Amino acid sequence: MSARNRPLWRAIRLLLGASPWAFARGAALAVLVLAFGAALLGLSGWFITATGIAGLAGVGVAFDTFRPAAGIRFFALGRTVSRYGERLLTHDATLRALAALRVALLRRLTQADAATLARTRGESALTRLTSDVDALDGLLLRLLLPGLAAVVTYALTGLLIWAIAGPVVALVLILGTLPLAGLLLRALARRAAAPSEAGEVRLQDLQRSLIDAMRDRTALVLAGRLPARSEALAETDAQARAAQAAQDRAERTAAAGFALLTTGVVAAALVAGALLVQAERLDPARAAIALFVALALAECWPPLQRAMAEMGRMRAAAGRLFDQSTPAEPVPPAPATDGPLLVIDRPGLTLTLNPGEAAALTGPSGAGKTRLLIAIAGLAPGESQGLSLQGRPPEAIAEAELRDMVTLVPQRSALLAGTIRDNLSLAAAENTGDEALWEVLDTVALADTLRARDGLETRLGEGGSGLSGGETRRLTLARAILRRPRLLLLDEPTEGLDAATADRVMSNLRKSLPETAILAALHRGDRHAIFARRIGLSL
C-alpha cells in the first residue's frame, strides 16, 4: 500500500468499524440489486428470443409463458425492494460512521497541544475540517460498496454464464470487462485528482471570502474597496468553476470509455454466441442471455466513476485528517508526592506555590507568560522542563487527575451558543443547584447584569455572542470556579474590566477559593492584595 493511500485505508477502517453489520447487509443488498438487474435483463432476453423461435417453429401455442413471466416480475420487484433496503441501510450506516469519525477527531484533538487547538479554532481550519469530514462519506457509498458489489456480481454472473452458455462466453464477459474497466478507473482517478482537490480548495476559499465580505461590507464600502473585493470573489469563483469543469471533462471521458467498453463486450459476446450457435454447441435463446447480461452489468460502473473523479478530494481530506506523524510516546503516570503543589525551576524563573497561595506573573508581551501557563496545564507536550505538580511533570499525570487538579482560563474565552445555565453546566457537577450558580455569578460581579435580563435562561448567540468582552471573560472565570481546582491558572483575567470591578472580582475569587493556588499572568492589577508574590519575565 502506498503512503498516499494509507490515510484512505485508515478512514475506511474507522468508518466500517462504526456499523459493520449494517454495511455488510447493505453490501449484500447492493449485490442483489446488480444480480437481480442482470437476471431480469438476461431472462427477458431469453424469453423474447425463445418465444420468437417457438413462433417461427409453429409451437408457440405450447410454449410455457407463465413461469418466465413470473420470474421477470420476481426479479423486477426484488430489484426494487433490494435497492430500497440497500439505500436505507448504507445511508444510515454512513451517517453513523461519520458521527464516529467526528468523535474520533475530537478525541484526537483533546490530546493535541495548545497551539494546534488554537489553530483549529480559526475559520479556515474549521471550514476545512468540516469539509474534509463531509468528503469522506463517498469512501463507502461511492467507492467501497459499489466496487465490492461489482466484483462479487461479476464473479457470480461469470459462474452462472459459464453454466448456461459455456466457458467461452463467460470468459469473454469477465476478461473482456474487468481488466479494461480497472484501467479506465485508474486513468480517471489520476486525471481528475488535481482538479478535484483544487476545486474543493477554491470552493472553501470562496465560502470564507464571501462570509468575510458580507460581515465587513460596511467597512469595505467606506474604504471604497467593495469593487476590488467583488472582483476577487469573481476570480475565485472562476477558478473553482474551471477546476470543476476539468473534473467533469475527465469523468465524461471515462463515461465514454465505459460506453465503448460495454459496446465492445456486448459485440464480443454476440460474436462468440453466434459462432457457438453456428457450431450447434449452444442454442440461440441461451446465447441471448449472455448478450443481455453484458448490457445489464454496465450498471456497475457509474457510481465508481463518480468516486474516482473525487479521489483527489477524498485522498487529500483523509491525508489531513489522518496525518502520518508519529505521536510522542506517553510518559507513564507517576504517583503524587508530598511536595509543593507547583514548582517552577527554570533559568531566570523560580517559583513555589502551595495551596492557598497566589502569585502574579508579569512581563512584556512576548515574554512567554501565556506559554508558561499552557505548559503548566499540560497542553504543550515536550515543554514541561523545570515544571512539577506535586513532584511530577504535567505529562506524567493521568489526564483525568490533571484536569481535576489544574484549570486554565485563557485569554480567548470559549462559550457556547445556548443559555447561561448551559455554559455553566459544562463545569458544574450534576447535582449543582441554581443557588450555587448564582453564587459564582455574584463572585465574578455578573449576577446583577444577568438578573436584569433573563437570569440563568439568558440566551447567548454563536460563540457566546450577546455579552461584552469583559462579561464573557467573567462568565468563563465563573465556570472555572465551579470546578474548584487545586491550581487555577489565569491569563489576563481582568482585561477589559474597570479598576473597581477588577478589584471586586479578584477579592471575591480569593474568598470563593481559599485553598486554591492561583497563578495569574497580568499586564495590570499585579499589585492586588491577593498576590503575595510577583514574578517578572523578560524578553
Side-chain angles (χ1 to χ4, degrees):
M1 182 192 307
S2 66
R4 294 181 63 200
N5 292 326
R6 193 171 295 120
L8 280 176
W9 287 109
R10 289 185 60 187
I12 287 174
R13 287 197 299 270
L14 177 61
L15 294 173
L16 284 177
S19 188
W21 286 112
F23 276 118
R25 293 192 296 269
L29 288 176
V31 172
L32 280 180
V33 170
L34 295 176
F36 280 164
L40 175 62
L41 204 54
L43 181 57
S44 300
W46 174 88
F47 185 49
I48 293 171
T49 305
T51 52
I53 293 173
L56 291 174
V59 294
V61 176
F63 186 78
D64 182 6
T65 61
F66 295 102
R67 282 183 292 181
I72 290 173
R73 287 192 294 271
F74 169 77
F75 288 130
L77 291 174
R79 186 177 184 277
T80 302
V81 173
S82 298
R83 175 68 74 186
Y84 176 79
E86 179 259 336
R87 293 292 174 88
L88 184 66
L89 287 175
T90 56
H91 283 71
D92 177 71
T94 299
L95 293 176
R96 294 176 185 273
L98 292 177
L101 175 61
R102 293 184 178 94
V103 171
L105 292 175
L106 289 175
R107 185 178 293 115
R108 182 182 170 195
L109 285 174
T110 61
Q111 301 172 359
D113 58 24
T116 301
L117 291 174
R119 286 196 299 270
T120 59
R121 294 181 65 180
E123 295 176 356
S124 299
L126 289 176
T127 300
R128 174 60 60 83
L129 186 64
T130 303
S131 178
D132 287 345
V133 172
D134 292 340
L136 294 183
D137 67 352
L139 271 178
L140 298 178
L141 287 179
R142 292 193 293 271
L143 180 63
L144 186 65
L145 290 180
L148 178 63
V151 171
V152 173
T153 302
Y154 263 92
L156 295 177
T157 304
L159 293 175
L160 184 61
I161 295 299
W162 189 301
I164 294 176
V168 175
V169 178
L171 291 176
V172 167
L173 182 64
I174 302 301
L175 298 182
T177 303
L178 292 184
L180 293 177
L183 291 176
L184 284 173
L185 291 175
R186 180 180 176 84
L188 172 59
R190 296 181 63 179
R191 184 180 176 187
S196 172
E197 184 176 358
E200 178 66 23
V201 172
R202 295 283 78 80
L203 284 176
Q204 291 181 20
D205 291 342
L206 180 63
Q207 180 183 11
R208 290 193 299 269
S209 300
L210 184 59
I211 292 174
D212 290 342
M214 294 176 64
R215 183 177 55 197
D216 302 334
R217 60 187 181 277
T218 302
L220 291 172
V221 171
L222 294 176
R225 295 174 55 192
L226 189 60
R229 180 62 65 89
S230 299
E231 291 179 4
L233 289 173
E235 177 63 23
T236 304
D237 180 64
Q239 293 173 356
R241 290 176 182 274
Q244 184 64 50
Q247 179 182 339
D248 289 342
R249 284 195 299 271
E251 188 174 357
R252 287 196 300 269
T253 301
F258 273 103
L260 292 175
L261 175 60
T262 301
T263 302
V265 171
V266 170
L270 178 61
V271 171
L275 292 176
L276 291 174
V277 170
Q278 188 176 11
E280 297 184 353
R281 295 172 54 187
L282 187 66
D283 64 78
R286 286 191 296 165
I289 293 178
L291 179 67
F292 285 94
V293 166
L295 284 171
L297 290 178
E299 185 185 5
C300 297
W301 307 118
L304 289 172
Q305 294 173 42
R306 183 75 256 179
M308 289 301 174
E310 295 184 351
M311 181 60 70
R313 176 191 179 209
M314 292 189 291
R315 184 185 290 119
R320 287 186 291 265
L321 296 177
F322 300 93
D323 60 43
Q324 300 302 301
S325 59
T326 303
E329 290 293 331
V331 178
T337 66
D338 294 331
L341 181 57
L342 170 65
V343 174
I344 304 176
D345 186 8
R346 290 181 168 181
L349 179 60
T350 302
L351 175 66
T352 300
L353 273 184
N354 289 300
E357 297 180 344
L361 193 63
T362 64
S365 297
K369 302 186 297 297
T370 297
R371 196 66 188 175
L372 176 61
L373 296 181
I374 289 173
I376 295 172
L379 296 175
E383 298 186 20
S384 61
Q385 299 86 353
L387 304 177
S388 66
L389 298 168
Q390 284 197 317
R392 301 167 291 173
E395 297 172 355
I397 304 177
E399 182 69 18
E401 181 185 356
L402 181 62
R403 296 302 150 226
D404 286 339
M405 180 188 301
V406 182
T407 293
L408 169 65
V409 180
Q411 290 187 42
R412 186 177 178 182
S413 305
L415 298 177
L416 303 176
T419 65
I420 297 295
R421 186 193 306 277
D422 294 335
N423 278 274
L424 293 177
S425 296
L426 290 174
E430 292 184 3
N431 58 351
T432 302
D434 289 359
E435 183 179 350
L437 300 183
W438 281 113
E439 183 179 342
V440 295
L441 292 174
D442 275 320
T443 299
V444 298
L446 198 56
D448 292 341
T449 301
L450 293 176
R451 286 191 180 98
R453 299 172 65 177
D454 293 327
L456 295 176
E457 303 307 321
T458 301
R459 297 200 65 84
L460 304 180
E462 183 178 356
S465 61
L467 298 177
S468 67
E471 291 168 343
T472 297
R473 195 175 300 272
R474 279 181 282 163
L475 182 59
T476 308
L477 181 58
R479 193 165 59 190
I481 295 172
L482 284 170
R483 292 190 59 82
R484 301 287 171 182
R486 299 171 62 188
L487 174 61
L488 180 60
L489 307 174
L490 304 175
D491 196 357
E492 301 293 350
T494 59
E495 189 70 22
L497 304 181
D498 59 77
T501 303
D503 180 76
R504 177 184 171 188
V505 169
M506 297 308 294
S507 298
N508 289 347
L509 176 64
R510 180 78 284 175
K511 294 176 183 178
S512 180
L513 301 173
E515 299 300 321
T516 296
I518 300 174
L519 179 61
L522 298 160
H523 277 106
R524 63 182 181 88
D526 57 291
R527 297 291 175 178
H528 196 279
I530 72 167
F531 298 116
R533 281 171 287 176
R534 287 172 291 280
I535 310 298
L537 291 180
S538 58
L539 293 173

